[in-house]
Amino acid sequence: MCGIVGSFNNKINNEILSEINHRGPDQENKYSYKNLELAHVRLSIVDLSNAGSQPMHSENERYTLIFNGEIYNHQDLKQKLSFKNFKGHSDTETILYYIQEFGIESIKDFNGIFAIALLDKKQNKLFLARDPFGVKPLYYSKEGEKLINFASEIKPLFKLGVKKEFNAIYLPTYLKLRYLPAPHTFFKNIYKVKTATIITVDLTSQSIIEEKSFHNIPSINNKLKKEEALEQYEFLLKKAVKSQLMGDVPISMLLSGGVDSALLAKFIVDETNTNLKTYTGGYQINDNTINELEDAEQSAKIIGVENEKVLIEESSFLEVFPKLVKSIEEPLGSTSIFPIHYLAKKINEDGFKVTLTGQGVDEPWGGYLRYKPQNSIENLSKLPLPLLNTIQSKIKKDGVRRAINAIAKTNRAERFNESYSLFDDKMLKSLLRQNNIDTNQTVDLLSKKIETYRLNDRNAVEAMMVLDARMNLSDDLLLYTDKISMQSSLETRVPFLDIELMAFAESLPSHLKTGLFKSKWLHKKLAEKHLPNEIIYRKKRGFYAPTKSWFEGSTGEVLEEKLISDTGLFGKLFRKEEIEKYFKLHRTKKVNYEKQLYLLSSFYFWTKEFF
């Protein structure tokens, strides 16, 4: 795992590379060709010798590659090559010659996580590409239609001369979804490469001449029997686990109290027959409903792995929060950034460069509560709006409010928008100072995604899961996991997002995964073959911070004062009387607004750090 930087007509110096040296503390190298400069910082995991160094040049000198990620099936790809004169055994060298032999579009064959920049001197082109589920980040800056710079993170782009200018256009989308979907960011002229996308740049003009997707969503297979599906799932998951143990360094694992990471740990132990070291994060509080420490310890004993607890205290919250927002570079609504931070730091201190996580199960297998009613909601005869408004006025639970809003919509994109929206249109108009708020932008975005992925051909829950796997995962959960873990020079792998495994999961009809009274059905059926029910059917606690109670006390008071007294960008965007209202209702326990308050706080700290 590494970091990459590229720039047209700019020198990449050590000061620029210092912004991402946490991504690659083992080695750094640069290469110039005409008006383009490429740089790479390396975290050595596969082939620790200089034979794995980058930028890597093909033997015929036509291609130069810089690459961040891991290609787990690179040995299989290697067998297909006519080229045999390898200098080492790195996956970088394999994919360089694979592209040389089969072309840039052959990255569709890569089963792994990656952000790639490939220079083709013969065609006079630069190619940028990102993996199908966006596990690895990749940003670029433009001036007009010219691509100027690109990097694994945003901060190097500022060092390369990109101005910090706030992009307010998509603020309503952020407040609804809790993140900004690619290609958008809150910085003018800075964009994220979309998942499963190849961008082609002409070296002479620096213009983007093509942007093309290379990953297809599988059609639904209604013919597969339950027994066959279970057998296939087990085979593919075991295969994914085995392939992602690839590397020349020891591997650790994040263990929660839930079924996903427990099943993963069991398969790793069965595959390696070694003493796997696992880590669990938890909080020093009395409320065990959100603490996974005891559950994870019990799972570790049952599976037979060593487990270490990492405790997190409320007293460090306000100090660490701004630092994590700086690392992530984008404001996000997930409190899971805190356990990831402390766990990554501890794992790095213990000498590990790689850890595995159970992320990526809920989206394809139907683990979120919002999935359960989707098909039923879509098939409901719509209730009269006046009645819905009356019901909603009496509702105090935030999730129920969203569900009622969704029921009132006949259009799928509008209904999904309401299901996601942390702040609905009415709340936004009261909260934001700007008068002309485009409340339709999120609906428009979702409509385009539904059309692009042809999701009207699927039922509602299948469509929502496909969207979440390509938006919520890549631009929120995987984004902060990568940024925070790499801040501690730790590579995080996600076996459940194996490309073959995901293709299989997304081909299954929804009744094998979720429904009104079930979630992750086939996934849990597999777990029943390998784990006791006390692990599989525990109450789900979630991987997040206890901000509900924190915001009711002194931490909330400090945050409120910061937010309502701000005279900078944050204060110019939001009405302080509305923020005061949310804090008061939350503090008096009339409505749980922890998610809204956390999202606003994340954005506040982001504005203080970058503006």
Side-chain angles (χ1 to χ4, degrees):
M1 204 62 68
C2 311
I4 63 176
V5 182
S7 184
F8 286 97
N9 306 312
N10 284 308
K11 192 74 175 174
I12 300 175
N13 56 35
N14 291 335
E15 183 183 2
I16 293 165
L17 290 183
S18 70
E19 294 289 350
I20 57 166
N21 60 13
H22 51 273
R23 300 189 72 91
D26 296 331
Q27 194 177 57
E28 63 179 52
N29 291 294
K30 291 175 281 189
Y31 174 73
S32 298
Y33 177 76
K34 293 183 178 179
N35 58 336
L36 176 65
E37 183 150 326
L38 304 174
H40 183 267
V41 293
R42 186 184 184 199
L43 181 66
S44 304
I45 292 172
V46 179
D47 193 345
L48 309 185
S49 73
N50 286 333
S53 297
Q54 301 178 44
M56 186 176 288
H57 312 283
S58 61
E59 192 174 57
N60 63 10
E61 299 185 355
R62 174 178 172 175
Y63 297 100
T64 297
L65 176 71
I66 51 175
F67 155 61
N68 168 31
E70 304 287 354
I71 307 301
Y72 304 118
N73 67 334
H74 85 99
Q75 293 290 1
D76 294 332
L77 298 177
K78 202 171 189 177
Q79 299 304 313
K80 299 178 182 179
L81 296 175
S82 57
F83 182 87
K84 302 296 180 185
N85 191 27
F86 292 97
K87 296 178 180 178
H89 63 273
S90 72
D91 52 342
T92 308
E93 194 171 16
T94 298
I95 66 171
L96 174 64
Y97 287 105
Y98 197 87
I99 294 172
Q100 174 178 282
E101 189 158 337
F102 299 109
I104 186 64
E105 292 189 359
S106 67
I107 63 173
K108 69 181 188 304
D109 299 334
F110 296 178
N111 192 341
I113 54 180
F114 56 84
I116 290 172
L118 178 77
L119 169 63
D120 184 339
K121 297 167 191 171
K122 183 177 180 180
Q123 288 194 55
N124 199 44
K125 291 177 181 176
L126 171 73
F127 300 98
L128 303 179
R130 193 175 176 208
D131 65 72
F133 298 103
V135 181
K136 307 313 299 175
L138 186 57
Y139 298 88
Y140 63 96
S141 65
K142 290 200 304 180
E143 288 181 7
E145 296 305 311
K146 287 187 175 183
L147 187 142
I148 306 299
N149 313 291
F150 64 88
S152 295
E153 297 184 10
I154 293 174
K155 287 186 283 290
L157 303 181
F158 296 137
K159 292 285 186 180
L160 284 163
V162 180
K163 293 180 181 179
K164 288 182 187 176
E165 294 182 87
F166 178 61
N167 175 17
I169 296 174
Y170 292 100
L171 183 57
T173 292
Y174 165 75
L175 293 170
K176 285 174 176 287
L177 298 181
R178 297 166 250 194
Y179 61 90
L180 268 192
H184 309 296
T185 75
F186 275 123
F187 299 105
K188 287 183 180 178
N189 302 318
I190 295 179
Y191 304 87
K192 290 178 276 196
V193 176
K194 290 183 285 189
T195 60
T197 297
I198 302 170
I199 292 177
T200 305
V201 183
D202 177 78
L203 289 187
T204 303
S205 66
Q206 297 174 218
S207 59
I208 295 176
I209 57 178
E210 187 179 46
E211 189 170 344
K212 189 175 182 180
S213 175
F214 61 85
H215 180 74
N216 295 320
I217 298 170
S219 56
I220 298 295
N221 180 2
N222 288 302
K223 296 180 180 179
L224 199 63
K225 295 179 180 178
K226 293 178 182 178
E227 297 76 16
E228 295 172 323
L230 186 62
E231 182 180 349
Q232 183 74 351
Y233 181 34
E234 181 169 25
F235 170 77
L236 288 171
L237 181 54
K238 286 182 175 179
K239 182 181 178 183
V241 169
K242 183 177 180 179
S243 69
Q244 294 200 27
L245 296 174
M246 175 186 82
D248 299 320
V249 295
I251 290 175
S252 61
M253 191 190 147
L254 303 181
L255 183 68
S256 72
V259 59
D260 306 337
S261 60
L263 184 60
L264 186 58
K266 181 68 169 64
F267 280 7
I268 293 171
V269 169
D270 291 347
E271 176 63 35
T272 62
N273 198 29
T274 59
N275 186 22
L276 176 68
K277 181 73 178 285
T278 66
Y279 295 82
T280 305
Y283 298 89
Q284 291 187 325
I285 55 173
N286 295 324
D287 185 3
N288 281 327
T289 59
I290 57 108
N291 233 334
E292 296 191 289
L293 296 175
E294 291 183 9
D295 288 347
E297 187 174 14
Q298 184 184 29
S299 294
K301 288 179 180 178
I302 291 171
I303 298 166
V305 296
E306 180 184 355
N307 183 246
E308 183 156 346
K309 300 177 184 178
V310 178
L311 291 175
I312 305 162
E313 298 180 5
E314 181 183 356
S315 59
S316 64
F317 176 79
L318 290 172
E319 177 189 355
V320 173
F321 199 172
K323 295 177 182 177
L324 297 186
V325 172
K326 179 181 179 180
S327 297
I328 299 167
E329 304 177 307
E330 298 186 52
L332 298 174
S334 176
T335 62
S336 302
I337 65 176
F338 295 96
I340 284 287
H341 164 70
Y342 288 100
L343 287 165
K345 187 177 178 182
K346 175 58 178 171
I347 294 170
N348 172 268
E349 289 171 356
D350 286 355
F352 290 100
K353 288 183 176 183
V354 178
T355 197
L356 273 65
T357 172
Q359 256 184 341
V361 175
D362 287 323
E363 292 78 9
W365 292 100
Y368 294 130
L369 186 62
R370 64 175 173 265
Y371 295 145
K372 291 187 175 184
Q374 285 303 320
N375 288 341
S376 298
I377 288 174
E378 186 156 85
N379 294 326
L380 277 177
S381 296
K382 301 301 177 279
L383 295 173
L385 282 177
L387 176 59
L388 288 172
N389 290 334
T390 301
I391 295 172
Q392 188 189 58
S393 66
K394 299 180 182 301
I395 294 298
K396 300 301 181 184
K397 287 195 174 183
D398 191 56
V400 178
R401 169 188 62 82
R402 293 201 297 272
I404 291 174
N405 282 349
I407 290 171
K409 302 296 182 182
T410 56
N411 176 275
R412 181 174 280 186
E414 292 177 352
R415 191 168 54 256
F416 285 3
N417 172 56
E418 297 296 350
S419 295
Y420 292 130
S421 290
L422 207 56
F423 291 90
D424 61 29
D425 291 352
K426 183 178 178 181
M427 296 165 77
L428 285 181
K429 288 175 181 177
S430 300
L431 179 66
L432 293 172
R433 291 187 181 276
Q434 65 189 88
N435 294 320
N436 300 319
I437 301 169
D438 182 5
T439 55
N440 291 321
Q441 62 180 220
T442 313
V443 174
D444 292 341
L445 183 149
L446 292 170
S447 295
K448 290 176 183 176
K449 294 285 186 183
I450 288 170
E451 182 181 354
T452 299
Y453 299 141
R454 299 178 181 175
L455 298 182
N456 283 320
D457 296 337
R458 295 176 179 242
N459 66 38
V461 69
E462 289 165 358
M464 182 175 270
M465 290 192 291
V466 167
L467 284 176
D468 285 354
R470 287 153 183 82
M471 291 173 55
N472 183 50
L473 262 178
S474 65
D475 295 315
D476 182 8
L477 308 182
L478 295 172
L479 176 67
Y480 72 70
T481 300
D482 174 86
K483 295 279 189 74
I484 294 176
S485 62
M486 289 304 291
Q487 196 68 39
S488 293
S489 303
L490 180 71
E491 171 186 310
T492 305
R493 297 180 180 177
V494 279
F496 286 109
L497 292 180
D498 172 90
I499 306 303
E500 281 188 82
L501 184 62
M502 281 294 290
F504 167 75
E506 292 190 325
S507 73
L508 294 177
S510 59
H511 71 266
L512 291 180
K513 297 184 276 191
T514 187
L516 271 177
F517 305 105
K518 63 182 179 182
S519 63
K520 300 193 287 190
W521 183 82
L522 191 73
H523 177 68
K524 290 177 181 177
K525 286 299 175 185
L526 174 59
E528 286 177 3
K529 294 179 62 176
H530 302 276
L531 299 170
N533 285 352
E534 60 189 295
I535 293 179
I536 301 167
Y537 296 103
R538 281 184 188 132
K539 181 180 178 181
K540 186 172 182 176
R541 301 187 190 276
F543 191 51
Y544 51 83
T547 48
K548 180 181 182 295
S549 60
W550 291 356
F551 290 171
E552 290 169 354
S554 59
T555 295
E557 291 174 0
V558 174
L559 269 179
E560 181 179 5
E561 179 59 29
K562 286 180 181 293
L563 269 57
I564 66 174
S565 63
D566 187 71
T567 57
L569 177 59
F570 183 89
K572 293 174 182 176
L573 292 169
F574 299 98
R575 292 191 175 98
K576 73 173 186 177
E577 58 270 20
E578 283 296 304
I579 295 173
E580 286 177 314
K581 182 184 77 174
Y582 285 121
F583 272 105
K584 182 179 179 179
L585 289 170
H586 182 81
R587 191 176 294 117
T588 55
K589 302 184 181 181
K590 291 182 178 179
V591 186
N592 180 3
Y593 276 135
E594 64 172 317
K595 292 179 180 178
Q596 286 82 356
L597 295 174
Y598 180 85
L599 189 70
L600 290 170
S601 300
S602 180
F603 190 82
Y604 164 80
F605 285 121
W606 179 83
T607 63
K608 304 316 286 182
E609 176 58 43
F610 291 98
F611 292 95

